[in-house]
Amino acid sequence: FIMDADPERQKAEHTTVLIDWPVESPAPTTCAFVYSESRCPPSLEVLLTRERAARDREELNGLYVAMTRARECLIISSTERRYAASGASRGAVATGGPVYANWWQRLQPCLRPWPLSLDEGLPPEAADSRIACLALPTLTRSSLGLEPHPVSMDAPELMPSDSTISRVGQAVHLALQWITLSQNQSRDGAVQAAARQLRVATEKVAEVVQRILTSPACAPFFDRRPGGWAANEVAITVQGQVQRIDRLVAMPQAQGGMCWWVLDYKLHESPQTLPAYRAQLLAYAQAVSQLQPGELVRCAFITGQGEVVEIL
């Protein structure tokens, strides 16, 4: 059950604390108390924007966790508002782009009314209740992630915890994510922090990261190009299951439009030879194609040797 999914709009936060603590630093580089977010000093605006984006991410993470606890049926409720409100004032949040809806508004297109009638003893006022449910697909061991999966840098939960190679791959993935997340992120600091977190040798992680970031073939996917777009750990739905693309890059084309690159990090020297890897990557590309109709979508592995292996 998810209760009160469309709550009354909360009073905007006025006072906050902003902390900038790079992963490689032993202490924060900035710590500031802001009396009013609406009157944030210009020197702290970037940090405040980052903080708001983190809040929005946590809001979505909370919804994801709440929904994925269900196994057969998900029931969602909300209460009628005292006053009518527009979408932007009904708990919607902005993430640097369009305004996104709250939990009730996000899920409403997928819901159906709760299948109870007044004949079942509900009071008359319940006729207007905002209760809905979402029937979930039949789950199998495979859909629950209980079957063996190929080792990948992007799925730590599917890897043997004692595998050094797996942990090196995870550390490389994490370091690349941190490095590409911010222009101010130190490459060495990110590598050291990722290696420390995954308990592997820094030299092994640094070697792979260096090969990837200095590779001429990989360079276009990590450069910040005007008019382009890139993101890490992009969540998509593949056959009813939430999956994550290691890196998704959109590049402007000379003839107009965008070319979308679906990239999957693999330490394996020849990931294209493994059918499971190929099928997974092609499924990611198909999902992106459905989200970007009419635009070109290509997909490739980025190997631990710094090679780009496109899959057609």
Side-chain angles (χ1 to χ4, degrees):
F1 292 81
I2 297 181
M3 312 299 293
D4 196 19
D6 187 13
E8 293 286 347
R9 186 183 183 189
Q10 296 182 353
K11 185 178 179 181
E13 294 187 49
H14 292 292
T15 304
T16 190
V17 60
L18 299 176
I19 299 176
D20 186 13
W21 196 336
V23 294
E24 75 276 8
S25 299
T29 59
T30 302
C31 183
F33 292 92
V34 178
Y35 178 74
S36 175
E37 290 188 5
S38 62
R39 292 182 292 171
C40 180
S43 60
L44 296 175
E45 286 181 352
V46 173
L47 197 54
L48 179 60
T49 299
R50 198 181 309 162
E51 169 66 20
R52 286 171 171 166
R55 293 175 195 165
D56 295 345
R57 256 196 327 270
E58 283 306 305
E59 182 74 11
L60 288 180
N61 289 342
L63 175 58
Y64 172 78
V65 171
M67 292 185 65
T68 53
R69 301 311 92 178
R71 287 293 175 263
E72 294 180 1
C73 184
L74 181 66
I75 300 179
I76 301 163
S77 78
S78 69
T79 55
E80 290 288 350
R81 294 180 167 276
R82 181 179 304 176
Y83 305 105
S86 63
S89 63
R90 296 179 58 180
V93 295
T95 56
V99 174
Y100 291 99
N102 59 26
W103 289 15
W104 179 263
Q105 293 167 318
R106 283 178 177 276
L107 299 179
Q108 200 170 25
C110 308
L111 303 176
R112 57 185 173 86
W114 175 245
L116 292 179
S117 67
L118 297 182
D119 296 335
E120 297 177 87
L122 294 178
E125 58 269 20
D128 296 326
S129 296
R130 303 176 75 192
I131 306 175
C133 64
L134 176 65
L136 303 180
T138 303
L139 299 179
T140 63
R141 289 181 57 84
S142 178
S143 65
L144 288 172
L146 301 178
E147 299 296 339
H149 287 71
V151 174
S152 164
M153 286 196 285
D154 61 346
E157 71 278 6
L158 302 180
M159 303 180 198
S161 59
D162 59 347
S163 169
T164 301
I165 295 178
S166 298
R167 286 188 285 113
V168 169
Q170 295 172 56
V172 170
H173 188 170
L174 192 57
L176 289 173
Q177 183 177 346
W178 284 339
I179 292 168
T180 56
L181 192 62
S182 171
Q183 291 179 320
N184 299 323
Q185 176 64 60
S186 162
R187 181 186 300 184
D188 292 341
V191 167
Q192 293 170 10
R196 183 169 58 249
Q197 181 168 323
L198 273 300
R199 304 184 306 280
V200 293
T202 301
E203 295 76 14
K204 293 182 178 180
V205 180
E207 183 180 353
V208 178
V209 170
Q210 175 73 7
R211 281 199 296 261
I212 292 175
L213 294 183
T214 58
S215 164
C218 296
F221 304 114
F222 296 98
D223 291 342
R224 297 177 181 271
R225 298 189 173 189
W229 179 90
N232 302 305
E233 293 292 306
V234 178
I236 56 171
T237 301
V238 178
Q239 296 179 350
Q241 301 295 312
V242 177
Q243 306 287 342
R244 292 187 178 274
I245 298 173
D246 288 349
R247 187 162 176 80
L248 182 61
V249 179
M251 297 180 177
Q253 298 189 92
Q255 63 272 29
M258 304 290 281
C259 175
W260 294 82
W261 279 92
V262 178
L263 304 171
D264 198 9
Y265 303 137
K266 297 295 186 208
L267 284 186
H268 196 284
E269 291 186 3
S270 302
Q272 71 278 11
T273 63
L274 300 179
Y277 284 173
R278 292 176 61 94
Q280 182 186 53
L281 184 58
L282 290 172
Y284 290 169
Q286 183 179 8
V288 173
S289 295
Q290 293 173 350
L291 295 172
Q292 301 297 139
E295 295 192 322
L296 180 62
V297 177
R298 302 168 70 177
C299 58
F301 295 112
I302 292 183
T303 74
Q305 305 302 314
E307 299 174 339
V308 177
V309 183
E310 184 174 3
I311 302 299
L312 303 176

